[in-house]
Amino acid sequence: DATGSITAKDVDSFIHHHAPLCMRNLHDSLRADKHLKHGGRLQYGLFLKGIGLSVEEALIFWRQAFSNMSDDKFQKEYAYNIRYNYGLEGRRVSYNPYSCTKIITSNPPSSGENHGCPFRHFSHNNLEARLRKDNISGSHVDEILALVRNKHYQLACTKHFEITHPQNKEKIDNIEHPNTYYELSKQIAEK
Ligand code: SF4
């Protein structure tokens, strides 16, 4: 159990260095808009829970992130859902972070929403621009886009992992879960 291994103030740096593109996209959108819609809060909130953010730290993180919102509104409309995800409200079920298959095949984002899988849900042009912005070389971008064109979204993500972790010489299993991507990236950095 990773609970407690990360605090609200670590999130920026840990996400930047270790999270897969779906979660970095959600994090960047949250920082840019100081808000995330429901689907994004759910996908990202459960991911953060999975990497070890406790409910207390999650409440701090989201309160600070929604910096344009009154405390009253936050407590009334958002704090409940955060506690709910941790099994402290409602049905008292502790929810698990979403797998890649779930993110790729259910509830596609509509405009203005930022959840989903960039390899599956970004337009070709947006994905290419995002990869280039992350300084991925032209030939590597082409490799990733070729996999996406053939609908091999998780293989594209696995390739993305390999390209962005060149210090890792071992073959990795195909990425099937965003939290696995994150844990693997951290393990490699700690070696
Ligand atoms: Fe996230 Fe999975 Fe898509 Fe990778 S393949 S970006 S981990 S949903």
Side-chain angles (χ1 to χ4, degrees):
D1 186 3
T3 307
S5 59
I6 163 169
T7 63
K9 67 175 170 20
D10 302 322
V11 171
D12 282 289
S13 147
F14 280 34
I15 293 305
H16 178 73
H17 287 110
H18 302 303
L21 204 52
C22 52
M23 302 303 171
R24 284 199 290 126
N25 178 53
L26 282 165
H27 187 81
D28 294 349
S29 305
L30 173 63
R31 288 296 183 233
D33 301 338
K34 306 193 187 327
H35 194 260
L36 271 184
K37 296 209 168 152
H38 181 71
R41 294 199 303 276
L42 209 52
Q43 181 177 321
Y44 192 39
L46 290 174
F47 171 81
L48 290 174
K49 177 186 171 193
I51 69 172
L53 199 68
S54 66
V55 65
E56 294 81 11
E57 290 294 323
L59 286 162
I60 294 170
F61 172 77
W62 290 101
R63 173 63 283 228
Q64 290 173 346
F66 289 1
S67 54
N68 289 340
M69 186 180 291
S70 73
D71 204 42
D72 195 42
K73 185 173 165 74
F74 180 81
Q75 296 304 337
K76 276 192 189 132
E77 295 176 26
Y78 297 92
Y80 177 93
N81 276 317
I82 295 165
R83 289 194 299 267
Y84 187 95
N85 283 346
Y86 282 79
L88 301 177
E89 302 279 3
R91 292 172 55 213
R92 298 193 177 257
V93 176
S94 188
Y95 292 90
N96 291 324
Y98 294 169
S99 68
C100 295
T101 305
K102 182 173 170 82
I103 293 170
I104 288 170
T105 61
S106 57
N107 185 26
S110 44
S111 83
E113 292 186 314
N114 301 103
H115 65 270
C117 169
F119 299 104
R120 169 66 184 87
H121 297 119
F122 275 21
S123 71
H124 203 86
N125 285 346
N126 280 355
L127 180 59
E128 180 169 1
R130 174 66 206 227
L131 296 170
R132 288 189 182 273
K133 185 172 151 247
D134 286 348
N135 290 323
I136 295 182
S137 73
S139 61
H140 282 149
V141 171
D142 291 345
E143 280 184 66
I144 291 172
L145 293 178
L147 289 164
V148 167
R149 249 183 247 111
N150 288 313
K151 304 193 192 311
H152 296 313
Y153 309 115
Q154 290 171 234
L155 291 184
C157 187
T158 308
K159 175 65 73 183
H160 178 263
F161 184 99
E162 290 169 348
I163 290 165
T164 53
H165 296 79
Q167 70 277 43
N168 177 51
K169 306 289 179 221
E170 286 159 37
K171 176 105 189 70
I172 62 158
D173 291 337
N174 290 338
I175 299 294
E176 303 207 336
H177 202 293
N179 288 77
T180 310
Y181 185 115
Y182 175 90
E183 296 303 336
L184 211 52
S185 176
K186 269 193 82 196
Q187 275 170 28
I188 289 169
E190 283 158 10
K191 261 188 194 161

